[in-house]
Amino acid sequence: MKELILEMEEYASEHNVPIIEKDSIKFIMKYIKTNNIKNILEIGSAIGYSSILMASVDKDVMVTTIERDNTRYMECLKNVKKCNFEGKINVVFQDALEVNLTNVKYDMIFIDAAKGQYMKFFEKFKYFLNDNGVIITDNLKFHGHVGKSKNIESKNLRGLVEKIENYIEFLKDNKEFETNFYDVGDGISVSVKKDEKK
């Protein structure tokens, strides 16, 4: 397993594939263990790095991960097979915003895909959370750009950073979820669904 993880880190570096920072995935793995999370939905598989590490936390952890890029999807399948996790990780080849889920609920949803779509992902998939389920979002600092969008000259980059800033405000104002922000890796938010019965 360790060898495969190192291989994946090298592949990501060589092929310019963004994978989660080590501090961030350690934080998430600890969260999964501490909160007894069993069923995870991941938006954005890339090469399977984070889904394999999340699935490795406990024998009962199951991950469904969604990827729309064919090359990354194939690489993800290959890596899942290498660590014999076919029974633990279900890789779905589709755009997450077009996926139709029915009769499934997750303890945790991990958003780590197109940054500009974070709010849409959140709004679409929150209905598939168990009571007291959690949505974790990565890259909220976006390499230190977030909070400084007015100083960014590139129009595209500025637009993307503004979307992340809007998403952070959306999380802070969201009455259905209690969100905490952590200065871990590239910035993480943990949004816990409030118990409606209270």
Side-chain angles (χ1 to χ4, degrees):
M1 180 78 156
K2 267 187 183 163
E3 276 180 27
L4 175 63
I5 294 301
L6 287 171
E7 263 178 47
M8 290 167 81
E9 286 169 2
E10 276 175 29
Y11 177 95
S13 171
E14 284 167 19
H15 295 81
N16 211 12
V17 176
I19 57 171
I20 189 167
E21 290 192 20
K22 286 180 185 174
D23 286 351
S24 304
I25 191 65
K26 274 184 196 160
F27 175 93
I28 291 168
M29 288 165 78
K30 189 179 176 188
Y31 190 94
I32 291 167
K33 201 175 181 69
T34 311
N35 294 277
N36 199 26
I37 282 165
K38 299 292 183 229
N39 206 358
I40 300 169
L41 174 67
E42 178 183 50
I43 317 297
S45 323
I47 56 172
Y49 181 77
S50 44
S51 45
I52 287 169
L53 284 168
M54 290 191 295
S56 73
V57 170
D58 185 88
K59 63 178 183 0
D60 296 329
V61 175
M62 307 292 280
V63 180
T64 298
T65 183
I66 304 171
E67 179 55 56
R68 67 178 184 182
D69 179 276
N70 186 52
T71 308
R72 290 179 184 180
Y73 166 74
M74 296 308 288
E75 195 63 28
C76 181
L77 282 181
K78 192 173 84 182
N79 290 324
V80 167
K81 193 170 183 181
K82 269 188 194 171
C83 60
N84 295 318
F85 272 7
E86 292 107 319
K88 283 170 71 63
I89 299 175
N90 173 27
V91 190
V92 178
F93 178 48
Q94 206 173 357
D95 186 313
L97 292 173
E98 291 167 10
V99 167
N100 287 320
L101 297 176
T102 46
N103 302 323
V104 282
K105 290 276 184 177
Y106 299 95
D107 302 321
M108 179 182 131
I109 295 172
F110 177 45
I111 302 178
D112 192 18
K115 316 284 171 273
Q117 306 287 351
Y118 275 0
M119 213 179 296
K120 285 183 183 170
F121 292 142
F122 193 102
E123 290 286 42
K124 173 173 178 169
F125 292 107
K126 68 180 182 182
Y127 299 105
F128 300 98
L129 269 185
N130 284 319
D131 290 342
N132 302 115
V134 63
I135 298 179
I136 295 184
T137 314
D138 192 26
N139 299 119
L140 290 184
K141 289 195 295 192
F142 199 56
H143 318 299
H145 290 303
V146 170
K148 303 172 187 166
S149 56
K150 290 178 177 60
N151 307 332
I152 297 171
E153 286 179 17
S154 156
K155 196 178 168 191
N156 287 352
L157 179 58
R158 188 171 61 240
L160 184 55
V161 171
E162 281 171 353
K163 281 186 174 172
I164 299 173
E165 290 171 348
N166 291 340
Y167 178 68
I168 290 168
E169 289 310 309
F170 158 81
L171 292 179
K172 286 178 181 172
D173 296 339
N174 197 309
K175 302 283 183 279
E176 295 172 88
F177 287 79
E178 183 73 46
T179 298
N180 287 301
F181 298 90
Y182 297 90
D183 193 8
V184 175
D186 198 23
I188 283 182
S189 62
V190 175
S191 306
V192 179
K193 188 177 174 187
K194 289 180 184 172
D195 193 340
E196 291 156 10
K197 299 176 200 73
K198 282 184 182 171

